[in-house]
Amino acid sequence: METHAEEASKAVTSAIRRLQNALKQKEPEYASLEPLLEKLRVRSGNLALLYLALDRSAEDVENRLWNFHVEVSGKFKLWLKGFREGDGKRKHVERRKAEKLYVDFIRASQRYYRAYIGRLTANFSNIPKVFEIAEKLNQNGLTAQSPKVATEEQNVTLEKSCKLCIIRLGDLSRWRETELQLKERNWGPAKGYYQLALSMDPGEGTCYNQLAVIARNDEDHLGAVYYLYRATAVTNPFPTAADNIKAEFEKLLTLRTEESYALMDRSGDDMVSSLEKRFLAFHAHSYARPYDFVAFQQRAKDILGMIALCFADQDARPAALDHFLQRACLINIAAEDLARRGMTKNVLMKKLSELKLVREADKNCQSYFLFQRFNLMTFRDLLSVLKRELGDPPTPDQDLSDLSRLSLVVRRVLPHLRQYSSWLLSHMRELVETKFKSTRLFLEGAMRTYAETLNLLRSHVDVFAPSQVGYLLEDDERTLSFPPYSPKVIEWRYYGVDKTKVKPARFDTGRGKETSEELAETHMRATDLVVDALRLVKQQDDLGLSFVPLEIVETQFVALQIPDSAVPQAPPSPPKQVWKSRTHVHTASMNGVDSPSRPASANLAVPVVAKLGVATPEIPSIRAQANGDQDPFNLTSSETMQTAVEEPSATFASSSILMGTPAAPASGQLTAMDIVRRMQQRSSGGSPVSQRSPDSAKKHVQPLLPSVYNTPFAPTPNEQAQLSPRLDTNSKRSSSFTSPSLTSSALFQDQLAQQQRDVQLHSSYQAPFEPTPSWSTYGQTPTGMNTFLRAFENKQERTPSPFSTSNDNNGRSPQPPRSTSQPPAPFGVIGQARPFSSGTPTNGQG
């Protein structure tokens, strides 16, 4: 066998040499290319089968053969291109001969790859997927020898080889439709081959990328964006899919600029077509230019408003809207996933500098925030559509098993909500623990709509009745390999009861679905929507969740607010240095606490409904309960939901403060009112005895700090000792600040109170309000400022500051600023225009 493989390898090398010599000619003889390529096909196929029989990989042989197909096709394309330009347009006879040779090349190549799949089934057994594909292609290979039983490793190799053959069959069909000048292009065979390859391996990104190429050739931009995003959101993504997305969006931005955004709707477009254009422009801007948040908000509201109108409009095309929403929902989810991955690594296959990588990561971070927000908005608005269509709760005598009473809109919106329900289960932790408080607030509002819609849906549909659907739904078949969904969600959604095999696909009879089958699928989708909410509440550990803003209270879903304790606290900022000496360095955090650790209950900023002693039943039991065993909402007395409301509390370093919104003061924490009361106590009688240092009687002398600017706001020598506790870096710590009884937190608060007391004591006199200097009053300064300036220049004794106290060291009483007019300052006021020249030189030589 090994000798046969060596001889076959030599034959392949000889065929390659002859074909290469023919391709190197400047004007190759195109009629001779196909015979040379046919010899290479036969010899390469024999060598590949020998390698597979020897448990060796034949991938190099197969790829090398395909590369020669690509090279020969490139030669034909250049030849055919000459007949579409200049004088070549008149050469009709030559063009028809060239097209015939090209079609012969395509057909011979397709015959080879179809026959190669048949030869795999003839030489190997125990390859069910390959046999299924061969049966669909009518390629049942026959051989006189007994086939070899394939091992598990060989089975994987043979399936991969078969999959690549199908993809190449699709490429050959696509080349034929692209290069031939036909009135109408028939993409059906190419699309059929790509879909057949996806049925073997749903995670193959190459198929989605090739489908995007077809969509772009047909000017179907929505399909191109959809397939390109799917090419990135699979287990085996296409290498350059992210670059292709960027190129597609750049083309869309060129066609639909910012100025033409409001004018893109044509008079002949219906509402769905206009919605599609706006949706594509929205995604192009959110991906390429994600920093305009105001424009994002407006465009998002326009798109979601048009979707609601399309559901309400009786004249809108239901099939077109469902087709758009089916792709739009997955585009939104895949776009968020691509931006999330782009925050940590460069997803573009380009060599970028370090600065460009940082900018790209920052742009991806902003895009991730926008797409996450848009997914929440879409989920909330689709829930609102379902809630509106369900209407009021049914009467008690209503038969819940009769789903034909539900409107058509309810049946149409449930598949898209089911996709978003999988997204919610997969990304709830990111939504709750996001650093953007606005996103958490938006999530709380969406969860309220979620709870209300689920309660209304349960009143209209008996979601725990036995399901009649045991196969994969159409929306599941499209997302079999979809990394944005977590593995646990994929297990719940796509696997059978045994959790070992994926559910089978629906058997297509070719006659369409009957009404009873459609109603059974509607019941299945409604059941999954409610069961997902139950999993959020009862199986948080399986999803890696520490908190979910949803709870069950008296058999009803209730939305909760998100406490600050559920959000991971950001690491504390570098503390400010209060003083420093050669032997001791002391720092304090923002809230005066040295250690950032504190109990989680101290961070609650909103009332939270907590679960106390709730028994959590297993949900395989939930699916079992869905079959009528037990209603998970009807809990026993030991499983009764108990609630407890905790008081709101927060520290100075809570996340709400960091986000720029006020938080309620925590019990046991120092508040602003406490600081004011301490200052009042100290101004009247000093600090409490328990907080006084044993060395507090010693006088603390601080070195004078020279002012940077000679301005009237520089402190006097007497004021200098009272204002700042900062010491020179070479001076030792003062004994008045070394109290063993004070913690660093109390010490920090003591210094803060001392500074505040000094400010209050200095503000006994308030200067009258003065108008802001204007351009017409150049040379004028605020009241009293010229006196201070001349005192600094002439080194004279200072005029008492209007902020000085009546009990300062010099014993001076506060003096109001002099009202006598002062001559203008020699250089005017900083920030004002220079006065017009009066003949005096301005260069200082006058």
Side-chain angles (χ1 to χ4, degrees):
M1 182 74 71
E2 189 70 30
T3 305
H4 292 304
E6 293 177 357
E7 293 177 356
S9 179
K10 293 179 181 178
V12 170
T13 303
S14 176
I16 289 175
R17 189 181 301 112
R18 294 178 182 178
L19 183 58
Q20 285 177 340
N21 292 334
L23 292 173
K24 288 180 180 178
Q25 297 179 7
K26 186 176 181 181
E27 293 292 337
E29 187 178 351
Y30 293 96
S32 65
L33 292 179
E34 172 54 32
L36 294 175
L37 186 59
E38 181 63 24
K39 292 182 180 180
L40 180 60
R41 292 192 194 106
V42 175
R43 296 178 181 181
S44 297
N46 294 335
L47 179 61
L49 291 174
L50 286 173
Y51 279 168
L52 291 173
L54 295 172
D55 293 341
R56 294 172 58 181
S57 175
E59 187 175 358
D60 292 339
V61 179
E62 295 169 350
N63 290 339
R64 182 173 56 187
L65 175 62
W66 176 248
N67 291 335
F68 277 107
H69 281 86
V70 174
E71 191 171 354
V72 171
S73 177
K75 291 290 184 180
F76 274 109
K77 289 178 181 179
L78 289 176
W79 190 26
L80 294 173
K81 184 179 179 181
F83 297 107
R84 296 193 293 266
E85 299 175 354
D87 296 337
K89 295 181 179 180
R90 303 176 183 177
K91 301 178 181 180
H92 302 291
V93 178
E94 291 84 349
R95 178 179 59 81
R96 284 195 292 268
K97 290 181 179 179
E99 289 179 349
K100 183 179 182 304
L101 288 175
Y102 187 66
V103 170
D104 291 341
F105 156 73
I106 294 294
R107 289 177 177 174
S109 302
Q110 289 182 327
R111 281 196 301 269
Y112 165 76
Y113 281 108
R114 292 166 68 96
Y116 184 76
I117 295 175
R119 294 179 70 182
L120 292 177
T121 60
N123 288 273
F124 298 93
S125 62
N126 194 28
I127 45 176
K129 287 188 177 181
V130 180
F131 272 95
E132 183 180 354
I133 297 298
E135 185 178 357
K136 291 181 179 180
L137 298 177
N138 296 324
Q139 296 293 326
N140 296 321
L142 299 177
T143 180
Q145 300 177 355
S146 60
K148 181 180 178 181
V149 179
T151 62
E152 293 184 1
E153 295 180 357
Q154 283 182 325
N155 195 350
V156 174
T157 303
L158 292 171
E159 288 180 0
K160 183 178 180 181
S161 180
C162 178
K163 179 186 66 177
L164 291 178
C165 287
I166 300 173
I167 295 176
R168 286 156 185 172
L169 284 169
D171 290 341
L172 291 168
S173 299
R174 179 171 54 85
W175 290 351
R176 179 183 57 200
E177 299 301 321
T178 303
E179 297 303 323
L180 299 182
Q181 293 182 349
L182 304 174
K183 293 182 179 179
E184 293 184 4
R185 293 175 175 176
N186 181 19
W187 301 111
K191 291 181 178 180
Y193 283 124
Y194 294 139
Q195 295 293 345
L196 192 59
L198 286 174
S199 67
M200 286 192 67
D201 183 9
E204 182 56 56
T206 304
C207 301
Y208 287 115
N209 186 81
Q210 310 302 63
L211 288 170
V213 173
I214 294 176
R216 190 168 184 178
N217 286 331
D218 277 351
E219 297 297 326
D220 179 13
H221 294 287
L222 178 66
V225 172
Y226 168 73
Y227 287 123
L228 287 175
Y229 267 122
R230 292 303 308 272
T232 64
V234 286
T235 55
N236 185 24
F238 190 73
T240 60
D243 287 339
N244 295 339
I245 290 176
K246 185 177 181 180
E248 178 66 17
F249 282 151
E250 289 176 352
K251 182 179 180 180
L252 288 175
L253 291 175
T254 303
L255 295 176
R256 295 155 185 166
T257 58
E258 189 73 26
E259 291 77 17
S260 63
Y261 177 77
L263 304 176
M264 67 173 59
D265 302 333
R266 299 178 181 178
S267 58
D269 291 345
D270 58 1
M271 189 176 295
V272 178
S273 299
S274 178
L275 174 61
E276 177 182 323
K277 294 178 181 179
R278 290 179 177 270
F279 178 80
L280 290 173
F282 165 80
H283 263 274
H285 282 86
S286 299
Y287 181 88
R289 306 169 185 174
Y291 298 102
D292 191 354
F293 185 72
V294 177
F296 160 81
Q297 288 282 88
Q298 185 60 42
R299 290 171 181 165
K301 292 179 180 178
D302 291 345
I303 292 170
L304 297 176
M306 292 181 69
I307 291 176
L309 287 176
C310 287
F311 275 115
D313 189 5
Q314 300 295 333
D315 297 331
R317 296 176 296 163
L321 179 61
D322 295 342
H323 178 73
F324 165 77
L325 281 178
Q326 164 204 323
R327 294 186 169 184
C329 293
L330 295 182
I331 286 175
N332 294 338
I333 298 172
E336 178 189 340
D337 180 72
L338 180 63
R340 180 186 58 82
R341 289 184 281 120
M343 291 191 299
T344 56
K345 63 179 181 179
N346 182 27
V347 295
L348 302 179
M349 302 300 293
K350 292 182 179 179
K351 294 182 180 179
L352 301 178
S353 63
E354 184 176 356
L355 179 60
K356 290 184 178 180
L357 283 174
V358 172
R359 292 177 178 175
E360 190 71 22
D362 179 71
K363 189 189 76 171
N364 286 324
C365 181
Q366 182 68 13
S367 297
Y368 170 72
F369 167 73
L370 296 183
F371 290 136
Q372 186 184 61
R373 176 68 62 87
F374 188 63
N375 279 322
L376 269 177
M377 297 172 69
T378 307
F379 182 46
R380 179 202 60 187
D381 284 20
L382 290 177
L383 287 170
S384 300
V385 171
L386 178 61
K387 180 181 175 182
R388 181 192 65 194
E389 289 297 323
L390 289 174
D392 298 329
T395 58
D397 58 345
Q398 187 75 44
D399 183 11
L400 300 183
S401 62
D402 182 16
L403 299 183
S404 60
R405 55 188 171 80
L406 300 179
S407 66
L408 183 60
V409 174
V410 173
R411 306 178 202 173
R412 288 166 51 199
V413 77
L414 279 175
H416 315 304
L417 280 173
R418 193 164 171 268
Q419 297 284 20
Y420 266 111
S421 181
S422 299
W423 167 81
L424 186 68
L425 263 66
S426 303
H427 297 273
M428 176 59 78
R429 180 174 181 178
E430 300 172 10
L431 292 169
V432 171
E433 298 181 359
T434 180
K435 67 178 181 179
F436 301 106
K437 188 171 184 179
S438 59
T439 301
R440 295 198 297 273
L441 294 176
F442 198 91
L443 174 63
E444 292 174 356
M447 294 305 291
R448 286 192 292 270
T449 306
Y450 185 45
E452 294 170 0
T453 307
L454 289 174
N455 294 330
L456 189 59
L457 181 64
R458 286 192 61 241
S459 66
H460 281 274
V461 181
D462 184 9
V463 295
F464 299 114
S467 176
Q468 304 297 327
V469 178
Y471 53 83
L472 286 174
L473 301 179
E474 293 179 1
D475 35 312
D476 291 337
E477 293 183 29
R478 288 189 289 267
T479 54
L480 268 176
S481 178
F482 198 49
Y485 293 164
S486 66
K488 200 66 180 179
V489 173
I490 292 177
E491 177 187 339
W492 289 334
R493 183 76 77 224
Y494 304 105
Y495 283 77
V497 180
D498 55 357
K499 303 299 181 184
T500 58
K501 293 182 180 180
V502 178
K503 297 178 184 178
R506 174 183 174 272
F507 180 73
D508 189 6
T509 59
R511 297 192 302 266
K513 296 180 181 179
E514 297 181 357
T515 304
S516 59
E517 192 174 8
E518 292 181 352
L519 294 178
E521 292 184 358
T522 299
H523 177 267
M524 182 69 179
R525 293 185 176 100
T527 300
D528 286 345
L529 202 62
V530 177
V531 169
D532 287 347
L534 288 172
R535 286 173 174 147
L536 275 176
V537 175
K538 296 179 177 297
Q539 291 186 279
Q540 299 181 16
D541 293 339
D542 293 338
L543 296 171
L545 302 174
S546 59
F547 176 81
V548 173
L550 188 69
E551 190 53 276
I552 301 177
V553 178
E554 297 180 356
T555 72
Q556 295 291 312
F557 288 105
V558 177
L560 306 178
Q561 291 180 310
I562 302 175
D564 288 343
S565 59
V567 183
Q569 298 296 324
S573 57
K576 297 182 180 180
Q577 180 174 321
V578 179
W579 58 70
K580 180 180 179 182
S581 65
R582 294 179 180 177
T583 59
H584 179 77
V585 177
H586 178 79
T587 56
S589 60
M590 292 178 60
N591 59 347
V593 181
D594 291 331
S595 175
S597 61
R598 53 184 178 272
S601 61
N603 293 329
L604 297 178
V606 290
V608 180
V609 180
K611 296 184 296 182
L612 301 177
V614 178
T616 303
E618 300 280 340
I619 318 186
S621 60
I622 285 188
R623 181 56 68 180
Q625 291 157 3
N627 295 328
D629 297 342
Q630 179 185 359
D631 190 344
F633 291 96
N634 296 329
L635 304 177
T636 62
S637 58
S638 61
E639 299 173 344
T640 305
M641 297 294 176
Q642 301 180 12
T643 61
V645 179
E646 299 187 11
E647 292 297 329
S649 59
T651 62
F652 288 140
S654 68
S655 60
S656 59
I657 295 294
L658 297 178
M659 292 302 298
T661 57
S667 59
Q669 299 290 339
L670 194 63
T671 63
M673 183 57 68
D674 297 333
I675 296 176
V676 173
R677 290 173 179 170
R678 283 193 184 182
M679 289 188 286
Q680 292 175 353
Q681 292 175 0
R682 293 180 181 178
S683 62
S684 60
S687 60
V689 179
S690 60
Q691 296 183 2
R692 292 182 182 179
S693 171
D695 299 331
S696 60
K698 298 181 181 180
K699 186 177 182 181
H700 174 60
V701 180
Q702 299 189 21
L704 295 178
L705 298 177
S707 60
V708 181
Y709 300 103
N710 290 331
T711 64
F713 300 101
T716 62
N718 296 326
E719 294 172 337
Q720 182 68 35
Q722 300 177 1
L723 290 178
S724 176
R726 296 175 58 186
L727 301 177
D728 185 65
T729 55
N730 296 325
S731 63
K732 293 186 176 181
R733 183 178 176 183
S734 172
S735 59
S736 61
F737 292 94
T738 57
S739 174
S741 61
L742 291 179
T743 63
S744 59
S745 175
L747 185 60
F748 176 79
Q749 302 297 341
D750 186 70
Q751 296 173 20
L752 180 63
Q754 178 66 23
Q755 295 183 18
Q756 186 67 24
R757 183 171 63 87
D758 294 337
V759 171
Q760 285 187 344
L761 292 176
H762 290 174
S763 59
S764 58
Y765 174 81
Q766 295 184 357
F769 290 102
E770 294 290 338
T772 304
S774 62
W775 296 107
S776 60
T777 59
Y778 66 90
Q780 301 293 331
T781 59
T783 306
M785 185 177 291
N786 287 327
T787 306
F788 298 135
L789 290 174
R790 277 197 291 275
F792 277 105
E793 293 172 2
N794 301 328
K795 298 181 180 180
Q796 298 174 356
E797 184 180 359
R798 263 186 160 179
T799 303
S801 169
F803 298 100
S804 62
T805 62
S806 59
N807 297 323
D808 57 3
N809 294 331
N810 295 331
R812 296 190 181 92
S813 59
Q815 297 291 335
R818 298 181 181 180
S819 60
T820 57
S821 61
Q822 301 292 341
F827 298 101
V829 180
I830 297 176
Q832 292 187 352
R834 178 181 296 176
F836 293 103
S837 175
S838 60
T840 304
T842 59
N843 56 5
Q845 297 179 3

